[in-house]
């Protein structure tokens, strides 16, 4: 550690994997394979949706946006983590840390709002099927996605500015493998309570508002499904919502555990494990859950595969 008393911190040192130094090469191989698999799965999903006209509907448009978001989300964190697993000095510059935090928060917050948009899409499809094509036209879909990313951008900009305007002296050891809010805040030499309250409130709102919108959507969805005359109709409607509910549960479960706790309850080893799950594992499984449970998507994937084989 490059430590000089009362010297402004110019870089940070990641310590997350220092306790498992002998396993770092093995972790590198495992995380690299997971990362490549994530890129491949999400790439296949995006390509299938773009190439098959039967999937050119709002539900799959949002799924393609989700897959793009997952690719960018992992790109912000995983390549740097892989380099650090093989490096002797696992450092990141002060500016690089700020950029990484902003990018991570921007994509993560946008993800929360995007899940609310997908919940609204399911609400319109099930509760207003005759007006679905009118209510969820191309302009509306683009507007909802733009609004989700605008909210994510605004929140990320405010939180990153508040964190990196704090003074950082002497200590530069981050007990994590990327620049998350809590580990960086712990290194601040002076804690501005107003900034901490604003950050906590923003994190709460980013999770609570989309979650509330999703819950309202599903109250109406469940009410509508119960009125369906046939069991088959209820099953089909229910099956289109299960994947979304699984992703919502995982996303909000992990995010709430990390960001909605008092800082005194922060545990570096426990949070590092949760961080690995939502930065590496969930971006792989989220689109898979959405696509592989969907017969329409699997049929489109088979058509694309047959078309590719016949052309070759």
């Amino acid at each position: 550690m490059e430590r000089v008393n009362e010297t402004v911190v110019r870089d940070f040192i990641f310590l997350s994997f220092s306790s498992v130094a002998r396993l770092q090469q093995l972790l590198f191989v495992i995380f690299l394979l997971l990362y490549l698999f994530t890129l491949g799965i999400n790439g296949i999903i995006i390509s299938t949706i773009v190439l098959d006209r039967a999937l050119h509907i709002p539900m799959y448009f949002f799924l393609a946006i989700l897959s793009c978001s997952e690719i960018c989300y992992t790109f912000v964190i995983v390549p740097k983590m892989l380099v650090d697993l093989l490096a002797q000095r696992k450092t990141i510059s002060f500016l690089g840390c700020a950029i990484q935090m902003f990018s991570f928060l921007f994509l993560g917050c946008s993800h929360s709002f995007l899940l609310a948009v997908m919940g609204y899409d399911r609400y319109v499809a099930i509760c207003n099927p005759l007006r679905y094509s009118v209510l969820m036209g191309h302009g509306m879909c683009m507007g909802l996605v733009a609004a989700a990313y605008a909210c994510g951008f605004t929140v990320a900009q405010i939180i990153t500015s508040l964190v990196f305007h704090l003074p950082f002296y002497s200590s530069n050891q981050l007990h994590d493998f990327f620049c998350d809010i809590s580990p960086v805040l712990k290194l601040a030499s002076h804690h501005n309570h107003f900034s901490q309250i604003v950050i906590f409130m923003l994190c709460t709102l980013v999770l609570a508002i989309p979650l509330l919108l999703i819950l309202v959507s599903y109250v109406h969805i469940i009410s509508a499904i119960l009125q369906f005359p046939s069991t088959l109709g209820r099953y089909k409607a229910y099956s289109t919502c299960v994947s979304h509910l699984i992703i919502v549960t995982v996303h909000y479960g992990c995010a709430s555990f990390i960001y909605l706790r008092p800082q005194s309850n922060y545990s570096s080893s426990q949070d590092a494990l949760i961080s690995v799950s939502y930065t590496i594992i969930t971006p792989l499984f989220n689109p898979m859950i959405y696509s592989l449970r969907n017969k329409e998507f699997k049929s489109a994937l088979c058509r694309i595969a047959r078309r590719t084989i016949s052309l070759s």
Side-chain angles (χ1 to χ4, degrees):
M1 180 183 70
E2 298 176 357
R3 177 169 179 165
V4 179
N5 288 336
E6 299 304 313
T7 300
V8 175
V9 170
R10 298 186 183 277
D11 58 17
F12 295 100
I13 300 174
F14 295 123
L15 299 179
S16 183
F17 298 111
S18 59
S19 60
V20 289
R22 294 181 180 180
L23 299 176
Q24 287 186 15
Q25 291 184 345
L26 176 61
L27 290 174
F28 172 83
V29 174
I30 293 172
F31 292 154
L32 176 61
L33 291 175
L34 287 173
Y35 180 56
L36 294 176
F37 202 43
T38 299
L39 295 180
I41 290 293
N42 285 285
I44 289 171
I45 290 171
I46 295 168
S47 301
T48 303
I49 293 171
V50 170
L51 295 174
D52 196 288
R53 293 185 63 85
L55 301 184
H56 291 183
I57 59 176
M59 175 181 172
Y60 295 105
F61 169 73
F62 294 131
L63 177 57
I65 297 296
L66 180 69
S67 290
C68 288
S69 178
E70 300 290 15
I71 289 173
C72 296
Y73 185 82
T74 55
F75 180 76
V76 168
I77 297 170
V78 179
K80 170 62 177 169
M81 182 192 69
L82 291 174
V83 171
D84 287 342
L85 282 171
L86 298 181
Q88 292 294 324
R89 298 184 71 253
K90 310 176 195 305
T91 62
I92 187 170
S93 67
F94 190 86
L95 177 61
C97 189
I99 292 172
Q100 187 184 59
M101 180 181 290
F102 170 80
S103 303
F104 163 73
L105 289 174
F106 166 53
L107 293 165
C109 294
S110 301
H111 191 109
S112 290
F113 289 104
L114 185 60
L115 289 176
V117 169
M118 296 172 83
Y120 175 73
D121 172 66
R122 290 299 83 210
Y123 158 74
V124 176
I126 293 172
C127 299
N128 296 283
L130 299 179
R131 301 182 61 201
Y132 181 67
S133 59
V134 176
L135 294 174
M136 298 300 293
H138 180 71
M140 182 63 170
C141 293
M142 294 295 292
L144 288 171
V145 171
Y149 280 98
C151 291
F153 180 88
T154 304
V155 173
Q157 188 175 41
I158 294 171
I159 292 178
T160 306
S161 297
L162 289 173
V163 171
F164 284 91
H165 272 86
L166 295 172
F168 290 88
Y169 299 107
S170 300
S171 180
N172 65 344
Q173 293 185 332
L174 273 173
H175 291 274
D176 211 328
F177 57 89
F178 72 103
C179 294
D180 206 353
I181 299 173
S182 294
V184 176
L185 277 177
K186 285 179 73 69
L187 297 183
S189 302
H190 172 70
H191 292 280
N192 186 321
H193 292 293
F194 174 76
S195 296
Q196 288 184 314
I197 291 171
V198 171
I199 290 170
F200 181 79
M201 288 182 65
L202 284 173
C203 291
T204 303
L205 290 174
V206 165
L207 293 173
I209 292 176
L211 184 58
L212 180 61
L213 294 173
I214 291 169
L215 290 175
V216 170
S217 296
Y218 274 100
V219 166
H220 288 88
I221 288 170
I222 293 171
S223 177
I225 290 175
L226 292 175
Q227 296 176 23
F228 285 9
S230 67
T231 304
L232 180 61
R234 287 196 294 269
Y235 173 76
K236 286 183 177 179
Y238 172 75
S239 64
T240 63
C241 300
V242 171
S243 300
H244 181 251
L245 285 172
I246 293 172
I247 293 173
V248 166
T249 301
V250 172
H251 174 77
Y252 286 99
C254 291
S256 298
F257 180 83
I258 293 292
Y259 299 109
L260 299 186
R261 293 174 303 158
Q263 194 172 353
S264 58
N265 292 342
Y266 175 79
S267 169
S268 57
S269 58
Q270 191 177 43
D271 286 5
L273 183 62
I274 299 294
S275 297
V276 168
S277 70
Y278 74 74
T279 56
I280 300 175
I281 298 174
T282 56
L284 170 63
F285 287 108
N286 282 352
M288 288 178 63
I289 290 169
Y290 234 106
S291 57
L292 296 182
R293 286 181 53 86
N294 190 297
K295 292 181 180 179
E296 191 176 14
F297 180 86
K298 288 189 284 187
S299 298
L301 183 60
C302 290
R303 287 195 297 270
I304 295 295
R306 285 196 296 269
R307 195 184 311 163
T308 304
I309 293 171
S310 63
L311 288 174
S312 61

